[in-house]
Amino acid sequence: MRVGLIGLGAMGEPMAHNLASTGLLYAVWNRTPEKAWVVAQELNVLQADSPSQLAEWCDVVITCVSADKDVLEVIWALIPGLGPGKIVVDTSTVSSATAITASKMLEDHGANFLDAPVSGGVEGAKNAMLAMMVGGDEDVLERARQVLEQVSARIVLMGPVGSGQGTKAVNQVMAAGINQAVTEALAFAHELNLPMDKVIDVISGGAAGNWFLEHRGPSMTHAQFNPGFKLELHHKDLTICKRMAEEKGLQLPLTEQTIKDYQVLMNEGFGQEDISALYRLKP
């Protein structure tokens, strides 16, 4: 099975490495050709001249881009090279509506679509330990599973196309709440003059323990915010969540507050930092 990957950013590039290590990766394409050339040379795979050429070469195409508009542009560009039986797996974080639109665009050409956003950050991508939330047909997922297992440790079919993105929206809302809670609590601990390393250690082993505290607590309390998940991207995702909630007549107060907090940090030039940079705003 030949696999092509489009989008060689912070998440896409390590996924390309994991696919190449098993011999499945056949070709790559990136909007910045220079980046694609470097990766293609390093992994000894082909660099496609266009998305459609990559689609012609490959049985499964994985896309990993940033925004709804980007996803639909890539899908449109893939179509001339697609045909019956080919599978497009989008691992981007976009709205459910965009995933459904992308699927409908491919239906007329006999190609299959899975919306398969992932969670786990850059560390998860590098270690092939991502959690993948899939929307689409079960038989299509089973045909692609061998490929997806090379980048994900957990793959769960959530329902029809759009369900994957709906689940990722829930994930992003929850991540916002965890970020708010952990950064606020650690700022509180600092003001109490507690030994921060010990606070993080003991709480990580109790009922309030969580991945974010364990993996980001030590760095944020030392004012280190190297991106595992860029703040500006989470802002983008939460804006999508807010819009999806509004379509259902719902409000997400904590999400809305996090969007505002992130905007303050972005205005101050911290958008490229990890989401733990929220700690900068805590008293």
Side-chain angles (χ1 to χ4, degrees), residues 151-195:
V151 299
S152 303
R154 179 177 298 178
I155 302 168
V156 180
L157 180 65
M158 304 307 302
V161 169
S163 301
Q165 294 297 347
T167 308
K168 182 59 183 292
V170 172
N171 182 88
Q172 300 306 72
V173 168
M174 196 173 296
I178 292 169
N179 193 4
Q180 290 282 5
V182 171
T183 53
E184 181 174 291
L186 291 183
F188 179 46
H190 181 268
E191 292 302 313
L192 294 176
N193 295 315
L194 295 172

Side-chain angles (χ1 to χ4, degrees), residues 42-274:
E42 182 178 359
L43 300 181
N44 194 29
V45 299
L46 298 179
Q47 177 189 0
D49 292 330
S50 65
S52 62
Q53 184 181 61
L54 182 141
E56 288 178 10
W57 290 343
C58 298
D59 306 300
V60 176
V61 177
I62 297 176
T63 58
C64 185
V65 296
S66 295
D68 293 59
K69 177 175 176 288
D70 299 329
V71 169
L72 295 180
E73 287 179 354
V74 167
I75 294 296
W76 184 255
L78 284 170
I79 284 175
L82 292 173
K86 296 200 174 188
I87 302 172
V88 177
V89 182
D90 181 44
T91 64
S92 316
T93 298
V94 294
S95 69
S96 295
T98 293
I100 293 169
T101 298
S103 180
K104 290 179 178 177
M105 290 169 67
L106 297 179
E107 281 180 3
D108 292 340
H109 300 271
N112 304 116
F113 180 79
L114 297 172
D115 68 300
V118 295
S119 179
V122 174
E123 295 99 327
K126 289 180 177 178
N127 298 321
M129 294 297 292
L130 295 169
M132 181 173 284
M133 314 150 206
V134 184
D137 292 336
E138 184 174 4
D139 61 335
V140 177
L141 173 58
E142 291 310 310
R143 285 164 49 206
R145 185 176 290 275
Q146 174 192 358
V147 173
L148 302 183
E149 286 178 340
Q150 309 313 313
V151 299
S152 303
R154 179 177 298 178
I155 302 168
V156 180
L157 180 65
M158 304 307 302
V161 169
S163 301
Q165 294 297 347
T167 308
K168 182 59 183 292
V170 172
N171 182 88
Q172 300 306 72
V173 168
M174 196 173 296
I178 292 169
N179 193 4
Q180 290 282 5
V182 171
T183 53
E184 181 174 291
L186 291 183
F188 179 46
H190 181 268
E191 292 302 313
L192 294 176
N193 295 315
L194 295 172
M196 299 303 290
D197 57 340
K198 292 183 178 180
V199 167
I200 293 167
D201 179 59
V202 70
I203 293 178
S204 292
N210 60 81
W211 186 96
F212 190 71
L213 172 64
E214 183 177 353
H215 290 265
R216 294 292 181 264
S219 54
M220 76 171 74
T221 54
H222 288 87
Q224 298 171 359
F225 305 107
N226 296 328
F229 182 27
K230 290 182 181 178
L231 187 147
E232 65 181 14
L233 290 180
H234 198 202
H235 178 273
K236 180 268 295 184
D237 294 351
L238 293 179
T239 301
I240 293 172
C241 297
K242 180 175 180 290
R243 185 169 67 247
M244 291 172 65
E246 289 172 345
E247 291 171 354
K248 297 292 186 181
L250 303 174
Q251 291 185 325
L252 302 172
L254 191 56
T255 295
E256 292 176 10
Q257 182 59 52
T258 307
I259 290 171
K260 293 176 183 177
D261 290 343
Y262 283 174
Q263 189 63 60
V264 171
L265 290 164
M266 290 163 61
N267 292 344
E268 295 178 0
F270 301 125
Q272 295 285 312
E273 293 187 338
D274 186 75

